[in-house]
Amino acid sequence: RADIARTLNMPINRIRVIATVVGGNFGGKNEITTEPILALLSKKTGRPVKGIYTREDEFMSSTTRHPFIMDYKTGMSKDGKILARKVRLVCDGGAYCSWSETTLGKACILSAGPYNIENLYVEAYAVYTNKTMTGAMRGFGAPQVCFAYESQMDDMAHDLGIDPLDIRRMNAFHEGSASPTGQVLESVVVRDSLEMAAERFGWQDWNK
């Protein structure tokens, strides 16, 4: 209502939205797209107006997830303890800003992963490109950086000859760990989750 009211320069109490059941948001429904246009057409014609996207319209006119360029440099001891990490993130926002600032902020906070790292430096940029506008998607930058740091954890485990599960156990957050922003963590279940996943997956048998 607020977005339509602002776009049409009308008081918000003159805007009535009757929503259908849309299920979860998952980020993709955070944006307004054709709503102000349809409202304006209806206002000008005095008639109800309906807009329907084809699959092609959806990909061309709605928002997409933010592509990232990610550079990770991590220092690790021979026994697998993470000593330091330097991260550079470039977030492709497309033609308009939309949720790029929020997405980049979340990506920065989560770029270290669920691991204790005493020395962390993160440099991040959101950039405009001549592409479809990006927007809110499930995770807000978390899936992108998760792919980067977990891929690197596997690479480092391989290079050091350490079980990838063990290297995660060694560095994972525990009760009382501090996040990169200084938040003291409570009810931390990272290690418990790793153990349960490894047991159900049959990691020891698979990793022989």
Side-chain angles (χ1 to χ4, degrees), residues 21-39:
V21 178
V22 295
N25 182 355
F26 307 118
K29 301 182 183 73
N30 273 14
E31 307 283 350
I32 58 169
T33 51
T34 58
E35 293 89 346
I37 298 170
L38 299 177

Side-chain angles (χ1 to χ4, degrees), residues 68 89 100-111 139-142 145:
F68 271 64
L89 305 175
S100 294
E101 181 182 358
T102 304
T103 301
L104 188 63
K106 295 288 186 183
C108 289
I109 293 171
L110 300 172
S111 61
F140 276 97
V145 293

Side-chain angles (χ1 to χ4, degrees), residues 42-201:
S42 179
K43 188 170 183 292
K44 291 294 186 181
T45 61
R47 301 283 296 172
V49 176
K50 183 177 184 178
I52 301 175
Y53 271 172
T54 64
R55 177 63 68 177
E56 184 179 9
D57 292 334
E58 171 69 21
F59 279 103
M60 292 177 62
S61 303
S62 67
T63 57
T64 66
R65 186 181 291 277
H66 288 77
F68 271 64
I69 296 174
M70 300 172 285
D71 293 318
Y72 271 68
K73 184 177 182 180
T74 301
M76 182 172 279
S77 66
K78 291 182 179 180
D79 62 357
K81 178 177 172 56
I82 299 175
L83 303 176
R85 173 168 288 168
K86 182 178 181 180
V87 181
R88 184 177 186 271
L89 305 175
V90 180
C91 169
D92 182 346
Y96 302 98
C97 181
S98 184
W99 289 87
S100 294
E101 181 182 358
T102 304
T103 301
L104 188 63
K106 295 288 186 183
C108 289
I109 293 171
L110 300 172
S111 61
Y115 303 112
N116 291 297
I117 305 176
E118 291 185 7
N119 303 289
L120 176 67
Y121 175 82
V122 181
E123 179 181 329
Y125 305 90
V127 298
Y128 290 107
T129 59
N130 188 25
K131 299 178 184 176
T132 301
M133 181 178 75
T134 51
M137 295 286 169
R138 187 77 169 200
F140 276 97
Q144 292 92 324
V145 293
C146 180
F147 172 79
Y149 62 69
E150 292 297 356
S151 297
Q152 192 184 55
M153 290 292 280
D154 285 339
D155 289 342
M156 292 187 294
H158 178 268
D159 291 345
L160 292 171
I162 301 174
D163 186 318
L165 177 60
D166 290 339
I167 209 168
R168 287 173 168 84
R169 284 186 183 124
M170 184 186 310
N171 292 285
F173 282 150
H174 52 74
E175 194 73 12
S177 289
S179 74
T181 59
Q183 178 185 2
V184 178
L185 305 176
E186 300 177 0
S187 302
V188 181
V189 294
V190 179
R191 295 181 182 181
D192 293 339
S193 298
L194 284 171
E195 298 297 343
M196 290 178 64
E199 181 180 353
R200 293 189 180 187
F201 181 73

